[in-house]
Amino acid sequence: MANAKELKDRIKAVKETKKITNAMYLISSTKLRRAKLDLAETRPYFDALRDEIRRILRAEPEYDSRYFGSPSGAYGVLVITADKGLAGAYNINVIRKAEEIMDAHPDARLLVVGEYGCRYFAQHRPDSVYLRAAQSPTPASARALCADILERFDSGELGAVHVVYTDMKNTLTSQAVDFLLLPLERRAPDDGVTRLELIPSAEAVLGGALRSYISGFLYAALLDSFCAEQNARVSAMDAANVNAQELLGDLTLQLNRSRQAAITQEITEISAGAQAQKNKRKKGGASS
């Protein structure tokens, strides 16, 4: 059994660690609440814009664009990871999903968002393209990411773009998903749809709408992943706090037992010394 000093040092170290994990729990909880509010405000706009694009396409069946059709050419895989670890299996699940696609398409280009993913793929796939950080997603960062992807797609460098991110269904369920962002799926025209008058032209209206759609989807994917990351970190830090509390209880129990053993040893030694002195006095009295 460890001595009292070693146990006290361990208890102090666990308490300091618990302060850190508790602080991370509170910070992640706050970030999660804010990100969920942003996501709730973003999704309705994104869904409405997607439905409007579909309505225009049904009304304009002759409209043709390279943004629609079947995937052809080099694959691009956009992987959204976190900037930090300590979030359970959050990063690993996304990386595994991305590697499944990369194994099926060995020539695919890898686009990575997040420092964790950048460090991982720098060791395993050094030809990857590393993009901006994943913390605090904003519409501006999504637009910049959209411009980067569209530039690669328009130049022919990429013929299809997959987005691998984490979809947080609820606080208990998160899942790494693969979404084909480009080219977009085009549904069959509907003869019952009323023709629309698009000013100045269908190309101009859909061109702007498509860029907004892709930017909006990327922003939603970044927010969704950020929510899932914070939720995973909240769970991980909560588990760490529980484990730290249990460890403190065990260490405190060991410390109390060590103190009791030391006190018992001292009492035994004092009693033995007193008995020895008593016996010595008796012998001295008997000899006199």
Side-chain angles (χ1 to χ4, degrees), residues 88-107:
Y90 167 80
N91 289 298
I92 298 301
N93 290 338
V94 175
I95 289 173
R96 286 176 179 171
K97 176 66 72 173
E99 288 185 328
E100 290 177 4
I101 303 175
M102 300 294 289
D103 291 340
H105 303 277
D107 297 333

Side-chain angles (χ1 to χ4, degrees), residues 242-285:
V242 172
N243 291 336
Q245 193 61 43
E246 292 178 354
L247 183 56
L248 283 174
D250 293 340
L251 291 174
T252 301
L253 181 60
Q254 293 182 36
L255 179 60
N256 291 337
R257 288 176 176 174
S258 176
R259 286 173 173 171
Q260 290 173 359
I263 293 172
T264 302
Q265 180 67 25
E266 290 178 2
I267 292 174
T268 302
E269 291 176 355
I270 292 172
S271 299
Q275 186 64 39
Q277 291 294 328
K278 184 177 179 181
N279 294 337
K280 183 177 180 181
R281 286 195 296 271
K282 287 182 178 180
K283 290 180 179 180

Side-chain angles (χ1 to χ4, degrees), residues 112-172:
V112 186
V113 173
E115 294 296 332
Y116 190 99
C118 291
R119 289 195 300 269
Y120 177 87
F121 287 112
Q123 298 176 354
H124 298 81
R125 299 183 185 273
D127 59 338
S128 305
V129 177
Y130 305 121
L131 304 176
R132 54 203 48 79
Q135 288 295 310
S136 302
T138 63
S141 63
R143 287 193 293 268
L145 185 58
C146 172
D148 194 333
I149 291 174
L150 286 180
E151 180 180 354
R152 297 174 189 276
F153 190 81
D154 292 338
S155 67
E157 177 184 345
L158 301 177
V161 178
H162 286 256
V163 181
V164 180
Y165 68 102
T166 305
D167 180 23
M168 194 182 81
K169 305 293 184 182
N170 50 58
T171 55
L172 299 177

